[in-house]
Amino acid sequence: MASERVRFIHTSDWNLESPLGGTHIPETLRDEFVGAPFQAAERIINTALAESVDFLILAGDILDIQSATPYTLDFLIQQFTRLHEKQIGVYWAGGRTDDPGLWPPDLPLPPNVHRFPVGEVEHLVFKRKGQELLTLAGASHRPSTNLRASDFGGTQGEIPRVAVAYGKFSKSTLQGKGVDYW
């Protein structure tokens, strides 16, 4: 039996609270520079919706939770809600600036958003119509934790595996670890 395709978008480093900058910004471009991170994020969401992807992978530094404005937090929740309305999941591995533990507890995320735990790998099975299609192995960043590529791996012959993490891994450490997409 041929395996079904799984469609997703993998993105990171939106840095929503950080407008574009430089040494000299022409007055005519200031508003565009301020809004550029939001426009780019919205284009990613629009593409996910237009392409009917199964899910969106966020691999860190989407926003700086500690310095994000209410506008930024609301914008992000609105984008996640748009995906939720079309049953598109969001799998979020936090980076240096978007540690899941820093998210305001009184500001719930839509139910389609899954945040990977900090400093340890979680393995989730993605299903469509009850059929297991792939495994997502993910972890959010913790500076004091050194995750190994083998922590994300699986065994030969199982369903495809996608690893989601924030940080640097050398190409040689990723080979032969039972992961189909890093």
Side-chain angles (χ1 to χ4, degrees), residues 15-91:
N15 299 306
L16 288 174
E17 73 298 329
S18 299
L20 298 179
T23 56
H24 175 71
I25 302 168
E27 185 68 38
T28 57
L29 296 177
R30 280 203 185 141
D31 288 343
E32 290 182 46
F33 272 54
V34 169
F38 295 96
Q39 291 174 357
E42 193 167 27
R43 285 182 181 144
I44 291 167
I45 301 302
N46 289 345
T47 300
L49 293 167
E51 296 294 329
S52 299
V53 300
D54 292 298
F55 53 85
L56 176 69
I57 292 175
L58 302 175
D61 292 348
I62 301 305
L63 75 163
D64 185 332
I65 294 173
Q66 293 182 310
S67 68
T69 65
Y71 175 85
T72 303
L73 296 170
D74 184 59
F75 171 84
L76 190 60
I77 290 171
Q78 285 180 28
Q79 299 312 307
F80 290 162
T81 300
R82 292 176 62 207
L83 294 172
H84 175 66
E85 290 168 352
K86 297 296 183 181
Q87 300 176 353
I88 297 173
V90 176
Y91 296 96

Side-chain angles (χ1 to χ4, degrees), residues 106-123:
D106 55 339
L107 192 61
L109 291 165
N112 63 320
V113 179
H114 179 83
R115 292 178 294 164
F116 287 107
V118 176
E120 66 180 85
V121 180
E122 179 181 21
H123 302 265

